[in-house]
Amino acid sequence: MSGIKVAIALVVKWCVRLLLGFMALSIAAVILFRFVPLPLSMVMAERQVSAWISHEPFDLQYEWAPYNELSANAKLAVIASEDQRFPFHHGFDTRQIRKSIDAWLSGDPLRGASTISQQTARNVFLWTERSWLRKGLEVWFTALIEVVWPKERILEVYLNVAEWDTGVFGLEAASRHYFGQSAARLTVVQASRLAAVLPAPRDWSPVSPSARVQGRARWIRQQMNQLGGTLYLERLDE
């Protein structure tokens, strides 16, 4: 019996060490990427490995662009589309979560309520397949980046790692891929279309938009106007 207790104690000891090691490494990574451009994201790596396994061609198009070289129109369009309370919450939009739960309890399908912070944490550090483990890690990394990174940095990273087509990651690569110009020159219409395809970037196109994408883009432009235009971005500094 004592041998079993010793074995359990040893397992617990190593589990605690592994947990503390993971926490230390993740904190160090978040601090590092507060200042350093990301060379790669976990989603990029996952797409590359998947292509290797399936023996399919994969051309990674990724070019980091600093915050001030990203179109203000695109910044606002993504906030209007994905997370209008981004300047004000601390990683989790409890108001939207409550609305989703209330709608679900009323019989509607359960809708996602992921913030830009959550999506950034997921894209940078985690994988795409849904699971309770991923959700738990997403909470951890979201809390970390909200503590360590300012809002502008979170938005900067999100725009640089978001997937916009097969192998196309980041606003700079997407802008050149679709419109043949830098991300700094995106117009309101172009930005709204790019934001509109984010829910299904490998299926929807901003240059040959379906009626659904066109409708989403129009709605996004309306929301951009209601938020007060690009002056809304000043709230990220508050």
Side-chain angles (χ1 to χ4, degrees):
M1 193 70 178
S2 60
I4 295 176
K5 290 182 178 179
V6 170
I8 293 175
L10 187 60
V11 169
V12 170
K13 179 180 179 180
W14 276 105
C15 286
V16 170
R17 286 183 175 180
L18 288 172
L19 178 60
L20 292 176
F22 166 76
M23 292 174 66
L25 286 174
S26 58
I27 292 171
V30 169
I31 293 174
L32 174 66
F33 293 131
R34 161 68 177 85
F35 306 100
V36 178
L38 275 77
L40 203 69
S41 73
M42 285 300 293
V43 173
M44 295 178 205
E46 180 183 334
R47 299 293 191 222
Q48 180 69 79
V49 171
S50 178
W52 284 338
I53 293 173
S54 61
H55 302 287
E56 295 178 352
F58 183 80
D59 178 25
L60 177 62
Q61 299 177 46
Y62 171 58
E63 182 179 348
W64 179 274
Y67 184 83
N68 60 4
E69 294 181 13
L70 298 171
S71 164
N73 292 324
K75 296 170 189 174
L76 182 61
V78 167
I79 291 175
S81 173
E82 302 289 302
D83 183 6
Q84 295 187 11
R85 289 182 47 76
F86 175 64
F88 311 112
H89 62 64
H90 299 289
F92 307 94
D93 190 346
T94 55
R95 180 184 300 178
Q96 188 60 44
I97 292 172
R98 285 196 299 268
K99 287 182 179 179
S100 297
I101 293 174
D102 290 342
W104 177 64
L105 292 174
S106 300
D108 295 335
L110 186 62
R111 297 174 298 176
S114 291
T115 63
I116 287 175
S117 302
Q118 289 174 270
Q119 294 180 58
T120 302
R122 188 163 62 236
N123 289 344
V124 172
F125 299 106
L126 304 174
W127 57 94
T128 57
E129 185 177 353
R130 295 182 179 182
S131 66
W132 286 109
L133 174 61
R134 192 195 72 171
K135 180 57 69 174
L137 292 173
E138 180 183 311
V139 170
W140 165 249
F141 279 108
T142 299
L144 274 183
I145 66 174
E146 278 283 341
V147 169
V148 178
W149 299 355
K151 288 289 187 178
E152 286 188 354
R153 179 60 173 179
I154 295 174
L155 183 59
E156 177 186 32
V157 172
Y158 177 72
L159 289 171
N160 272 287
V161 301
E163 187 175 26
W164 259 291
D165 196 0
T166 301
V168 179
F169 289 86
L171 188 65
E172 183 66 25
S175 180
R176 295 188 181 280
H177 175 72
Y178 286 117
F179 304 114
Q181 63 185 27
S182 71
R185 300 176 59 193
L186 288 168
T187 66
V188 171
V189 172
Q190 291 171 336
S192 66
R193 287 186 176 181
L194 282 171
V197 304
L198 281 173
R202 295 193 291 176
D203 298 319
W204 298 350
S205 170
V207 291
S208 301
S210 63
R212 183 175 185 180
V213 171
Q214 291 183 42
R216 280 184 55 82
R218 283 194 297 272
W219 176 83
I220 289 169
R221 291 194 294 272
Q222 292 171 357
Q223 297 302 305
M224 292 169 70
N225 289 331
Q226 290 183 16
L227 289 174
T230 55
L231 288 176
Y232 188 78
L233 296 173
E234 295 179 3
R235 297 180 178 237
L236 299 179
D237 296 324
E238 294 178 357

